[in-house]
Amino acid sequence: MLRILNLDAGYGKLRVLKGLSLHVSAGEAVAIVGANGAGKTTLLKSIAGVLRPWAGTISFDNQPIQGLPAERIVGLGCALVPEGRHVFPTMTVRENLLLGAYCRRGRDGGAEIAEDIKRCFDLFPILRERQHQLAGTFSGGQQQMLAIARALMSKPRLLMMDEPSLGVAPLVVRDIYRTVARLKDQGLTILLVEQNARAALTVADRGYVIETGQIVLEGSSRELCGNREVQRAYLGKEYQTIDE
Amino acid sequence: MTQTISRLYDAKAETMKRDELRQLQIERLQSTLNRVYRNVAFYHGAFDAHRVNLEKLKDLDMLTELPFTTRQDLAGAYPYDMFAVPLRDIVRIHSTSAASDRPIVVGYTHNDLRNWTDCMARLLVAAGVDQHDVVQIAIDYNITAGAFGFHQGAQRLGASVIPASLTMGVERQLVIMRDFKTTVLVTTPGYAISLAAGMDHIQLHPERLTLRLGLFGGERWSEELRQQVERSLHITSIDTYGLAEVMGPGVAGECHLRNGLHINEDHFIVEVIDPRTLKALPAGQEGELVFTTITKEGFPLIRYRTGDVAAINPEPCACGRTFVRMTRPSGRTDDRILFGGIGFYPSQIESILAASEGLSTHFQIILDRVGGADTIEIKVEISEKIPGLDEIKTLETLRTNMMSKIKTALGVDAKVTFVVPRSLRQNGAVQRVVDRRAT
């Protein structure tokens, strides 16, 4: 579904992604694991069209999308849940969700959109309870749920999530990941970027480990979890015994 | 038509579309290159020396810009210098057999073992093995990888595995085959011939066995030998290919159509080069096989020159697998000898001789097949300078000494014969290897 070949991207003179290649097949959940500053967010921003790639190709359903404006990419069915949520704090839950369906204006009727809002509420019941509250009054976890729901309102076929567990209470992280697993079971394709490798690899089928803008390891989640280097660096195992 | 579609162990991988496979290969190649550059001093140095910019390696055909890895490089890294992970992450160590030369030591991580087992399981399923089979593995279980690869794969499929190894004699092997109702035999072509001869000897008719399939590897063999094996054991034979440095057996294997060996391309990238010019050869042309591993963690190899000569057939196979096929290796680019599944070089014999007093380094290796069993004889010219040469006792001591040294170093039982000085030379040169095994 998503295929990236030799992607270069960065900011100003700073080259962050250095010839990175990866793919996500339909129905798959793929995790990108890496330390802070490795280029994970840059990667998602490049795919979503927020950042213009320097070189390389990004194709979505065999169609090149690199350089397209972000709204076109959302329209094609590729939505991003950005790091730090970025919900609209002075708007209500319902208004935030309606904005998520912005790209569907003139295409889908109000009934369909209302149906999708209902589906989001089923997914996150807390949002139904608080649908008329302002998003700015929410906790980190609730904002994250809202951000995911808002992305789902664009009816994506590929959902990209940037650090969904960041700044969220551990118990809520578990809830969010349960929902991610449910979305995957419903057939949604997911690309997940996480520093919380353990959580990401439990829902993902495959993963890539990214270091300083390059992929250094690729494999099934089982393989990555079984890799001692990944265990030491990202899963926090053996932290007492590391003496090298 | 449905009959020609064989069973697949991992249909998703084995029938992957070529463009998807290409994407996967690029991804895995790039991550492997990034890892070896960071973790293996040899590759860090080699890439820097060749001014390789890994960030610019964008497609598979750019692989040709990378330096080769040779057997000498690996021997020079003895024992652990080519490992890409710390030793505590290694869960298995195998080694090539040669001991007089420095052997090549190969380490496997947990994931490497799992991938290896998967590759073997694919190969066995392609051959037609399943959980109902009784698989007798007549390969020596030792530091070399061969027996373990087949063992793991057959076990994964749920077959009944008999680790018969090679320590027992031919007759005992045959009794097991008959009484345990072995259906699949895994061995070298040479040993299969010994088994067939043994059956004649104890008057065991193949009809009294339940054997139906044989998987062979570890030696080159001709079509004639293959037919002889099939005829004498009443089996269908399946050819396999692998080498310890790259992984062990399981790099490639025939499907039931037996028209070339499918290479597990999601784990290995294959190239065929002209061993003299080192240039890539077009598909279909015979040349030296070069492998790059793209999933190995413990012992990754970039453009490893195998020394094996074969050609690649990219045509799709009727079995449905999309992996390219290689021909059965037709020879070597060097003088490596394969005997009983063990590989060694004449130079190794030479260095043993050079270390022994009273012997010249003029010798001839004669490989033959006598009464169905493969034999190796080494004729050595004795030196004229040695005192007490005419004493039989001295000679006999020297001879047994030599035989045990060869056994220790190479692991083969060679017969050593002494000949008078200068008798081996024809036109001033000694023909080092005479191979009279059935061809």
Side-chain angles (χ1 to χ4, degrees), chain B residues 275-329:
Chain B
R276 289 177 309 272
T277 65
L278 305 181
K279 291 273 184 299
L281 291 172
Q285 209 162 317
E286 258 200 355
E288 182 174 0
L289 290 177
V290 173
F291 284 102
T292 298
T293 70
I294 51 174
T295 53
K296 279 182 81 182
E297 297 175 349
F299 196 80
L301 289 177
I302 309 300
R303 303 195 82 202
Y304 180 64
R305 293 184 59 185
T306 62
D308 289 319
V309 174
I312 295 297
N313 175 8
E315 298 288 311
C317 178
C319 75
R321 286 177 185 79
T322 48
F323 293 155
V324 297
R325 286 167 286 168
M326 55 177 267
T327 58
R328 193 183 316 154

Side-chain angles (χ1 to χ4, degrees), chain B residues 51-110:
Chain B
R51 296 174 193 283
V52 175
N53 184 350
L54 291 183
E55 293 168 16
K56 293 212 169 117
L57 197 127
K58 296 192 186 302
D59 210 343
L60 294 177
D61 51 23
M62 292 171 81
L63 199 57
T64 53
E65 291 173 18
L66 299 175
F68 290 104
T69 309
T70 63
R71 201 178 63 86
Q72 286 73 26
D73 294 331
L74 300 190
Y78 181 84
Y80 295 148
D81 284 356
M82 290 295 270
F83 286 19
V85 299
L87 200 55
R88 59 181 170 151
D89 296 355
I90 295 290
V91 296
R92 174 85 66 79
I93 296 172
H94 282 297
S95 150
T96 55
S97 52
S100 73
D101 202 2
R102 287 201 287 185
I104 294 162
V105 184
V106 181
Y108 300 74
T109 65
H110 266 301

Side-chain angles (χ1 to χ4, degrees), chain B residues 387-406:
Chain B
L389 189 67
D390 34 355
E391 276 181 42
I392 291 188
K393 212 175 123 199
T394 319
L395 278 179
E396 198 49 36
T397 316
L398 201 57
R399 207 171 75 84
T400 40
N401 235 331
M402 271 302 299
M403 283 173 32
S404 77
K405 271 187 194 163
I406 290 169

